[in-house]
Amino acid sequence: MEMNTNGVVASNYTKDYNNKVKNTTANSRTIGEPQLSEEAQKYYDQLKKKFSNYDFVLVSKDQIEYAKANIGKYAGGAKTAVLIDEEKIERMATDEEYRKKYEGILSGAANQIAQVKSG
């Protein structure tokens, strides 16, 4: 399932990251060199906690096309990978309606994945 410049992917683990994916912390990966404002970083941390069933990969705006073209490479483990670009996180941090829209997409995707797994 793809969301504009973001993607939600569920598949087997792939080891090939083409040196574009960096593990920045134990639970955070990036593609490129995304830069978030303090407010956006705070929101992003909250988003990852709220949707802890996802594996978020933050994408810099100059790597969006690369990430979309290679979306299957970022899935791994038991969690569904979500590619999300820095510009969306910035806007979600300040625009409540935009935030509700994308958080709704994430919630809906989680429910669909759960139904597929149980069905």
Side-chain angles (χ1 to χ4, degrees), residues 7-92:
V8 177
V9 179
S11 71
N12 293 330
Y13 177 72
T14 303
K15 292 183 179 181
D16 178 18
Y17 292 106
N18 291 337
N19 298 321
K20 295 219 181 236
V21 177
K22 297 178 181 144
N23 291 310
T24 55
T25 66
N27 65 350
S28 183
R29 294 186 294 166
T30 63
I31 300 172
E33 299 289 334
Q35 301 294 317
L36 295 177
S37 66
E38 187 175 324
E39 183 177 15
Q41 184 63 56
K42 183 178 178 182
Y43 169 72
Y44 185 52
D45 291 341
Q46 292 171 349
L47 182 70
K48 290 187 296 184
K49 285 179 186 173
K50 183 175 184 177
F51 293 99
S52 61
N53 55 321
Y54 289 126
D55 179 19
F56 285 92
V57 181
L58 186 61
V59 181
S60 64
K61 59 185 168 187
D62 65 326
Q63 294 295 318
I64 292 170
E65 292 307 315
Y66 171 84
K68 286 169 58 175
N70 295 284
I71 198 166
K73 293 181 180 180
Y74 308 108
K79 292 185 177 184
T80 300
V82 176
L83 304 181
I84 191 160
D85 67 82
E86 63 188 328
E87 291 177 335
K88 280 202 175 40
I89 293 295
E90 289 289 346
R91 185 165 175 197
M92 291 170 77

